[in-house]
Amino acid sequence: MTAQAATPDRASAEKGFVLEDVRFAVDGATILHPLSARIGGGQVLGLVGANGSGKSTLLRILARQTAPSSGRVSFGGRALADWGARDLAREIAYLPQYPQTGIGLTAREVVALGRYPWHGPFGRFTANDAARTDEALRVTETTDFADRTLDTLSGGERQRVWLAMLVAQDAGCLLLDEPTSALDISHQIEVLSLIRRLAHESGRCIVIVLHDVNMASRFCDRVMGLRGGRLVVSEGIHDFMTPQSLRTVYGLDMQILPHATHPAGVAIPN
């Protein structure tokens, strides 16, 4: 199903993002063609598509790491550009594909960095900050290795620590760029299960870039599919997992097989 332009309304704006004809170009090349969409809370939204389709660019625009060339992005009913940096950091947490934070620090110290938007560079780390840090460690099940340095942890453990840092930030929206790209299958399932739980149990808006369509099928509630910088699919996961939608996004013929733990089925190339 081809994505239709979205007309923003107050209800959708209060839940998360509204994008209106958002476009991005650099050096005369269009990376993202104009797209419109709504992104709400309490669900995991997967950004899927082939390499170079514009997924990470779109995520960076949502995180205000990159400014769109044209169009408008609003969050919470307010233009994204109008948010103060500290106020926005209290609302939106962004995890790039290759985080550089934490080398030489313990897991607890890394997680505590998530409290920075609340106390600033000269503020005191309060008892509430400590309680939020401990709660983030508990929720992400990282307490057992909280006192180990980040470089001694496995890939899956490090990803959980970075997620804990975002949870400690207490933001209502998490933006994650391929958080499972360097993980083995067991750690992928571990991290994505945590992400899904964070969305469903706390009402967070979570947007995640994924390459594996079957992981998207299992852990996402909705999907936005990009191809050549265009939004070509915006659907619930069951509607996305059809041969027609998959061909629209990937340009491949696939079939959907039933699976006991993937309600939407499993896609394999023909």
Side-chain angles (χ1 to χ4, degrees):
M1 182 179 76
T2 302
Q4 299 296 319
T7 303
D9 58 25
R10 181 178 178 184
S12 63
E14 288 174 348
K15 292 178 180 178
F17 294 94
V18 177
L19 296 88
E20 304 170 77
D21 295 323
V22 171
R23 174 181 173 272
F24 181 73
V26 60
D27 296 332
T30 298
I31 309 301
L32 276 182
H33 294 269
L35 65 86
S36 298
R38 302 168 183 157
I39 302 172
Q43 63 178 353
V44 181
L45 173 71
L47 298 182
V48 302
N51 289 339
S53 60
K55 304 183 298 298
S56 293
T57 298
L58 177 56
L59 196 75
R60 288 194 298 270
I61 287 173
L62 295 177
R64 211 173 69 176
Q65 302 292 307
T66 298
S69 301
S70 60
R72 173 185 167 91
V73 183
S74 60
F75 178 78
R78 179 177 167 191
L80 195 62
D82 292 345
W83 283 83
R86 198 158 160 192
D87 286 341
L88 189 66
R90 292 176 174 181
E91 299 289 339
I92 298 174
Y94 168 63
L95 186 67
Q97 187 174 354
Y98 302 108
Q100 300 300 313
T101 303
I103 302 302
L105 300 178
T106 67
R108 185 184 301 277
E109 289 169 334
V110 171
V111 175
L113 292 174
R115 299 303 300 163
Y116 179 85
W118 298 93
H119 58 69
F122 306 112
R124 185 170 60 90
F125 191 80
T126 66
N128 181 59
D129 292 323
R132 292 288 189 177
T133 298
D134 288 342
E135 175 65 7
L137 289 164
R138 184 193 66 78
V139 167
T140 56
E141 299 179 355
T142 51
T143 304
D144 287 348
F145 45 85
D147 296 321
R148 289 172 55 189
T149 57
L150 203 66
D151 53 315
T152 67
L153 303 179
S154 70
E157 289 170 338
R158 282 196 299 271
Q159 288 296 79
R160 283 161 57 192
V161 168
W162 282 317
L163 285 171
M165 181 179 70
L166 269 59
V167 172
Q169 192 171 329
D170 209 21
C173 183
L174 308 184
L175 307 176
L176 313 171
D177 194 352
E178 296 190 47
T180 62
S181 61
L183 303 182
D184 59 43
I185 186 68
S186 64
H187 285 132
Q188 287 182 41
I189 292 172
E190 178 182 273
V191 168
L192 290 172
S193 296
L194 170 60
I195 289 168
R196 185 171 175 85
R197 180 159 55 87
L198 289 173
H200 291 181
E201 292 182 1
S202 65
R204 284 181 171 89
C205 165
I206 296 184
V207 184
I208 179 171
V209 173
L210 285 174
H211 270 298
D212 190 324
V213 66
N214 290 317
M215 287 297 182
S217 165
R218 181 168 178 175
F219 293 102
C220 294
D221 300 295
R222 292 191 58 81
V223 164
M224 287 172 57
L226 292 104
R227 184 174 182 184
R230 300 181 188 276
L231 178 61
V232 294
V233 162
S234 181
E235 299 173 321
I237 197 65
H238 287 273
D239 291 328
F240 170 66
M241 290 295 287
T242 65
Q244 296 81 6
S245 284
L246 293 171
R247 181 169 180 79
T248 297
V249 174
Y250 295 104
L252 293 174
D253 290 322
M254 299 190 191
Q255 57 180 308
I256 310 299
L257 303 180
H259 193 280
T261 59
H262 290 53
V266 173
I268 61 170
N270 285 344

